[in-house]
Amino acid sequence: MMDGLTPALFSAAQLPEGQPVNLSRRGVLGAALGALVLGVALPRGAARAQAAAPAVQPGTRIPAFLEIRQDGSVLLKSPFIEGGQGVDTAMAQIVGEELDADPARFVVECAPPGPDYALVNGRRITGGSFSVRSAYPAMRQLGARARAMLVQAAATRLGVPAAELTTEPGKVVHAASGRSLDYGALAAEAAALPVPETAPLRAERDFRYIGKPVARLDVRAKSTGRAMYSIDVTVEGMLQAAVQHAPRLGMEPGAFANEAEVKAMPGVHSIQRLPGAVAVLADRWWRARRAVETLQVGWTPPAADARNVMPADFSSAAHHAVLAAATGPGNPAEVEGDTAAALRSATRTIEAVYDAPFLAHGQLEPPSATARWNADGTLDLWLPNQAPEMFQAVAARVAGIAPEQVKIHSPLLGGFFGRHFLYDSANPFPQAIQLAKEVGRPVKLIWTREEEFLRDALRPMGLARFRAGIGPDGMPVALEAEAVGEGPIGRWFGTAPGKADPSAVEGIAEKPYAIPNRRVVQVPLRHPPIISFWRSVGHSMNDFFYEAFLDEVAEAGGQDPYQLRLRLLAEKPRHKALLEAVGELSGGWKRGPYDAADGTKRARGVAMASPFGSEVATIAEVSLKDGAVVVHDVWVAVDPGRMVNPAIIEAQVNSAVALGLSSALLEEVVYVDGVPQARNFDNYPILTPERMPRVHVRIVESGAPMGGIGEPGLPGVPPAVVNAVAALTGQRVRSLPLAKTRLGAV
Amino acid sequence: MELNINGTTRSVEAEADTPLLWVLRDELGMTGTKYGCGVAQCGACTVLVDGQATRSCVTPVESVAGMAITTIEAVEQDPVGRRVVEAWVAAQAPQCGYCQSGQVMAATSLLKQTPHPSDEDIAAAMTNLCRCGTYNAIAAAVRQAAAQG
Ligand code: FES
Ligand code: FES
């Protein structure tokens, strides 16, 4: 989710093409592959030595990634974590394309921590819609080199020159003699061979898997209950834990009023104090939960030096007023021309203030962590995470051991959307580590949904002030924007003094429109709650602010919003083509209002966004029912440059539309007196099936560098819907969610 | 207490008011049924009780003693359930997958009772939440499973 880190983190072109370091290393690699072919992992000592060696180039060592089994199936240890985005299948497609192995024969699992997997510009994260685009070159090369080794092994076995051999999915073929050998039968011999420096890549026109709607590898297990998530982990001898957190961050557990009663409850093992929380351990989780919720805890006020204290008087409404009152000048994110002068000479100026609330992730799997201390002082951890090495490092600090003594297991994620990065008090694993240490047994800790709503790290609240100047021809001559608040990049990675936090301004700065004078600044302001990455990060609200205001600009200039965008994109062929594509996909642009066949009055709105290296154009059609918005259809044209799996892209766009619409219509985390008012989905409504619109997707492969897919479908949805509502009702909604505003038809 | 789960009698030790969900997951190790909210909001915990889709997170185990409980683990043993699973695979419905056990069970219950549901029937029966927004794929899969029935 780290779009703002793009310059620092990522450039696909800079990724190593993957060559072994030197000749002497090659023998080692081959031997290791042999070991893996036999199904034996690298010996622990060897792995550690290699981890310490700076020479490891991520994505190059075949045995760290691939194991071809006797039966021809392929185990791929992926740098990424599957959480619904389809990355396991995409990796199998990319490697399978070059290895010449059917992706359906792949078993993909998340690799343990290690330097081999740092493929997102020297780091390893699953987020920022980075996975496929960052790993693509290395994974292709990896598959190609493994294929070359299999071909060489076959050449030796058959006594023919390698040049006479070809491959078909899963086998090496010697056409001249009509002989062929399955990969599974060659794997052990191939493993003993040196790893070639490079291997030829398949011509793109010959792709069989990349670019095709290859079936996902995980759907059957997920349709039959066999998929395993962190919450499903069982470890022999484990106790189960449930926690009760302090109502406000910073408070600590004081006296227990009914300790004896709770200890006597069925199955209870013990009560444990944790930083800012109490836990009950029991033989069954339900018993632990019931007991911890029965426990009457006196919470002491925060200590003077406590971190991240939630003020007792914090409310989201008052915080909104604080944002609204915070004035610039702010830190510049984009400055072009002279907006002050252009505004002075404009025919007309308009101003507006937009805002969006704190949001919860609401991933359907509640957070959990299972910790097991081993006799040798090492620690096994099973936990939802989007960055195994980062979690390993923090777990090691918490446990007081070295990182290589922490073994991280990364099961499937039951949704993530940015939830499973490191967020201080928002991650359960430090509690599990401490509890397991305390009781000398493995501990599985599950947070209830209620505790999750209490401790989730939030999508920040945001507010933006806009001013635009319009010339005599109705075209904008100047646009100024102040984004007030902070983003997760600044909070968790820091922002240079005087510089804007990219995650606070993305979606407002660097829009593609030809407005000659532009000034975008961030007015930094810290949010008291713990804030986080949330699907599409700053774009999740900033594109709403900007694109809705752009419709106001159009109206002030007497222009149709779609036509204005086309004019402003006249010199941007990629964007213009995409806007035309979505217009066509929707049957031709029409704003409305107009009468639909079912008797409803409807209207449409349009929006564009440039998130995560991809370009997106969105149109939404709405009507009103009892003062609430009904979204009938959403059309999305997405240009990811190049694609790996159109079916997964379409599914991800559907998913992003759903979450974007959920946020636009319904979602808002409300704090009163320092505590969130909603503790479950009953008071934090999310999109239900009956509110789901039809979604129409067109993928445009412009050939531009590959962009992301998991998040880009989201940012255009709130503004397209809000713009459609304005077209339908004349009401310009500048504050989300829409459910707050009573709407009436024109 | 004896429970009839997937055609087998299982004896369990749990307080009478323990939710069926946690008896299944913890006591019996059947983790296919998921915990999402615990308050009958999301449907991730849906199982069939005498054929009826039931949110097991708010179902006291005592209340279903002697009734026929079917979980996702046995869904393919039922011809309708098997058809639903095949339709789910064909429609490539799951994303993260966490809600999908409950979705498949809800669809199976619907089609066992109403083999040829209207769109309204589908909307009325398929109310489980999916944070990944797979709703359109789910509706398509239900229609496909019904068409093959
Ligand atoms: S867990 Fe039962 S309805 Fe959500
Ligand atoms: S597939 Fe993720 S919650 Fe439904």
Side-chain angles (χ1 to χ4, degrees):
Chain A
M1 312 260 142
M2 302 184 186
D3 189 41
L5 284 184
T6 299
L9 262 179
F10 170 68
S11 161
Q14 290 162 7
L15 284 172
E17 272 296 306
Q19 280 134 38
V21 177
N22 56 40
L23 278 174
S24 64
R25 187 153 203 103
R26 290 193 210 164
V28 176
L29 292 172
L33 177 55
L36 280 159
V37 167
L38 299 174
V40 181
L42 283 169
R44 213 187 158 84
R48 226 179 270 166
Q50 281 152 6
V56 172
Q57 283 191 41
T60 63
R61 297 196 304 173
I62 292 171
F65 292 87
L66 276 182
E67 175 186 336
I68 297 168
R69 284 128 161 208
Q70 298 285 323
D71 66 357
S73 66
V74 180
L75 173 67
L76 174 63
K77 292 185 205 165
S78 170
F80 306 106
I81 302 159
E82 178 63 57
Q85 77 279 43
V87 71
D88 280 2
T89 306
M91 289 299 128
Q93 287 177 261
I94 299 165
V95 174
E97 185 70 66
E98 298 295 349
L99 179 61
D100 208 354
D102 187 339
R105 299 299 317 276
F106 277 63
V107 174
V108 184
E109 59 185 41
C110 179
D116 290 287
Y117 311 107
L119 280 168
V120 181
N121 199 34
R123 298 190 201 206
R124 180 184 186 189
I125 60 162
T126 300
S129 300
F130 273 126
S131 303
V132 170
R133 52 180 164 145
S134 60
Y136 184 79
M139 290 296 105
R140 281 185 72 189
Q141 188 57 231
L142 190 85
R145 288 159 66 222
R147 174 182 172 276
M149 291 162 75
L150 291 159
V151 168
Q152 188 54 52
T156 306
R157 176 92 74 90
L158 298 175
V160 300
E164 286 181 15
L165 297 170
T166 56
T167 57
E168 286 175 14
K171 60 185 172 191
V172 183
V173 178
H174 187 238
S177 63
R179 290 177 294 173
S180 70
L181 288 164
D182 288 346
Y183 283 178
L186 289 166
E189 289 152 61
L193 296 169
V195 179
E197 298 266 349
T198 57
L201 294 173
R202 228 176 154 77
E204 288 185 19
R205 66 178 174 280
D206 296 333
F207 281 175
R208 287 110 354 120
Y209 308 127
I210 294 176
K212 304 293 190 294
V214 169
R216 287 182 55 139
L217 300 175
D218 51 357
V219 292
R220 187 169 291 277
K222 287 176 173 178
S223 304
T224 51
R226 290 199 301 271
M228 296 292 283
Y229 304 83
S230 288
I231 204 169
D232 301 324
V233 166
T234 299
V235 174
E236 207 184 315
M238 72 184 187
L239 286 168
Q240 306 227 38
V243 288
Q244 180 189 158
H245 286 103
R248 286 184 281 111
L249 214 51
M251 302 174 91
E252 294 297 338
F256 302 147
N258 58 345
E259 188 169 356
E261 177 200 347
V262 171
K263 279 187 166 155
M265 289 177 74
V268 168
H269 171 279
S270 58
I271 302 172
Q272 304 287 339
R273 288 168 188 273
L274 293 165
V278 292
V280 169
L281 295 157
D283 58 347
R284 299 273 182 260
W285 185 77
W286 181 256
R287 288 168 166 170
R289 175 190 182 161
R290 175 159 293 180
V292 83
E293 290 180 348
T294 303
L295 188 64
Q296 292 162 15
V297 183
W299 297 99
T300 64
D305 60 347
R307 279 156 44 83
N308 299 325
V309 170
M310 170 56 73
D313 62 351
F314 176 74
S315 83
S316 39
H319 189 61
H320 172 262
V322 172
L323 294 184
T327 51
N331 298 323
E334 182 185 17
V335 179
E336 184 67 46
D338 183 347
T339 50
L343 284 165
R344 274 195 303 276
S345 60
T347 309
R348 199 174 160 197
T349 61
I350 60 166
E351 292 182 359
V353 182
Y354 281 79
D355 69 81
F358 292 112
L359 297 178
H361 290 93
Q363 80 295 340
L364 206 56
E365 180 193 10
S368 65
T370 301
R372 181 183 67 198
W373 288 89
N374 303 309
D376 61 359
T378 60
L379 174 69
D380 277 270
L381 271 183
W382 291 260
L383 76 177
N385 74 85
Q386 296 178 238
E389 289 77 7
M390 294 184 199
F391 279 66
Q392 183 188 43
V394 173
R397 277 212 300 279
V398 170
I401 55 180
E404 63 267 24
Q405 293 177 286
V406 180
K407 195 166 172 207
I408 298 282
H409 307 263
S410 307
L412 292 174
L413 300 171
F416 57 118
F417 321 119
R419 174 64 182 90
H420 297 305
F421 285 116
L422 290 163
Y423 301 122
D424 274 345
S425 49
N427 305 103
F429 71 90
Q431 298 173 341
I433 293 171
Q434 188 177 331
L435 292 171
K437 180 110 195 168
E438 203 62 49
V439 299
R441 283 174 69 177
V443 169
K444 174 174 172 179
L445 165 65
I446 303 172
W447 282 6
T448 61
R449 178 60 64 185
E450 289 78 5
E451 295 303 308
E452 166 65 346
F453 267 98
L454 185 60
R455 280 292 176 271
D456 187 12
L458 306 178
R459 197 285 302 266
M461 178 184 276
L463 180 142
R465 274 187 287 273
F466 290 94
R467 186 183 299 151
I470 293 145
D473 58 354
M475 297 295 284
V477 293
L479 187 141
E480 285 185 347
E482 288 178 356
V484 185
E486 63 168 335
I489 297 266
R491 172 73 70 98
W492 301 110
F493 297 89
T495 306
K499 291 261 174 9
D501 172 352
S503 61
V505 296
E506 61 190 8
I508 298 177
E510 283 155 38
K511 295 287 284 189
Y513 304 115
I515 299 174
N517 302 285
R518 306 185 296 279
R519 181 177 175 80
V520 178
V521 303
Q522 180 207 4
V523 178
L525 194 141
R526 190 173 169 91
H527 300 300
I530 301 284
I531 61 165
S532 68
F533 296 91
W534 191 94
R535 197 173 191 172
S536 79
V537 196
H539 289 284
S540 67
M541 55 185 154
N542 287 338
D543 283 294
F544 156 61
F545 300 157
Y546 188 105
E547 292 285 320
F549 183 67
L550 190 59
D551 262 39
E552 295 197 63
V553 169
E555 194 176 315
Q559 308 214 38
D560 173 84
Y562 182 85
Q563 300 303 335
L564 174 69
R565 284 175 175 81
L566 275 183
R567 270 178 220 127
L568 291 173
L569 296 171
E571 308 295 320
K572 295 277 170 65
R574 186 182 180 194
H575 298 86
K576 186 160 174 278
L578 202 64
L579 185 54
E580 286 166 346
V582 78
E584 190 187 291
L585 183 67
S586 66
W589 168 250
K590 55 173 178 178
R591 188 171 186 232
Y594 46 85
D595 294 312
D598 66 354
T600 58
K601 196 171 275 298
R602 300 187 184 185
R604 294 185 185 180
V606 63
M608 300 199 70
S610 308
F612 308 94
S614 291
E615 297 294 338
V616 186
T618 308
I619 291 175
E621 182 183 75
V622 307
S623 69
L624 288 186
K625 192 177 176 193
D626 305 328
V629 178
V630 178
V631 180
H632 299 275
D633 290 86
V634 175
W635 296 271
V636 181
V638 55
D639 174 7
R642 287 177 300 147
M643 67 177 171
V644 169
N645 189 321
I648 289 175
I649 292 177
E650 194 170 333
Q652 282 297 289
V653 170
N654 262 269
S655 174
V657 165
L659 196 56
L661 188 56
S662 191
S663 72
L665 295 179
L666 302 168
E667 294 184 35
E668 176 178 26
V669 171
V670 175
Y671 267 76
V672 175
D673 296 334
V675 296
Q677 298 301 287
R679 298 288 297 273
N680 210 316
F681 292 119
D682 48 359
N683 287 316
Y684 187 89
I686 63 172
L687 198 80
T688 51
E690 86 247 1
R691 289 184 191 264
M692 183 73 192
R694 285 179 293 270
V695 180
H696 316 264
V697 182
R698 178 174 297 176
I699 304 165
V700 177
E701 276 191 289
S702 65
M706 194 182 284
I709 274 302
E711 297 162 274
L714 194 149
V717 175
V721 169
V722 165
N723 288 339
V725 168
L728 183 67
T729 66
Q731 280 169 273
R732 174 53 63 184
V733 179
R734 300 192 184 93
S735 182
L736 293 182
L738 279 158
K740 289 191 303 187
T741 307
R742 179 88 195 162
L743 297 160
V746 282
Chain B
M1 191 181 327
E2 304 225 310
L3 294 180
N4 175 357
I5 300 177
N6 300 333
T8 309
T9 303
R10 308 287 299 261
S11 96
V12 297
E13 259 180 66
E15 288 72 66
D17 59 351
T18 305
L20 173 62
L21 171 66
W22 295 103
V23 173
L24 292 171
R25 289 184 57 83
D26 256 12
E27 183 86 14
L28 300 172
M30 300 169 77
T31 55
T33 307
K34 298 304 189 207
Y35 165 57
C37 68
V39 293
Q41 287 287 312
C42 73
C45 62
T46 304
V47 300
L48 306 191
V49 176
D50 286 347
Q52 190 68 43
T54 302
R55 293 186 168 175
S56 64
C57 68
V58 291
T59 304
V61 63
E62 162 191 62
S63 71
V64 293
M67 300 170 88
I69 300 160
T70 309
T71 71
I72 187 74
E73 282 84 1
V75 73
E76 289 176 290
Q77 288 163 26
D78 179 279
V80 175
R82 191 157 56 239
R83 218 160 59 227
V84 168
V85 168
E86 291 312 318
W88 242 248
V89 173
Q92 298 274 294
Q95 289 192 19
C96 86
Y98 196 76
C99 73
Q100 300 292 344
S101 294
Q103 307 278 8
V104 165
M105 297 313 286
T108 301
S109 169
L110 166 66
L111 296 183
K112 283 172 82 75
Q113 288 164 29
T114 313
H116 298 288
S118 64
D119 283 357
E120 288 69 35
D121 293 333
I122 293 175
M126 300 300 293
T127 57
N128 291 0
L129 298 176
C130 173
R131 189 58 160 167
C132 301
T134 64
Y135 298 131
N136 288 333
I138 285 173
V142 173
R143 282 192 293 267
Q144 180 178 337
Q148 286 166 356

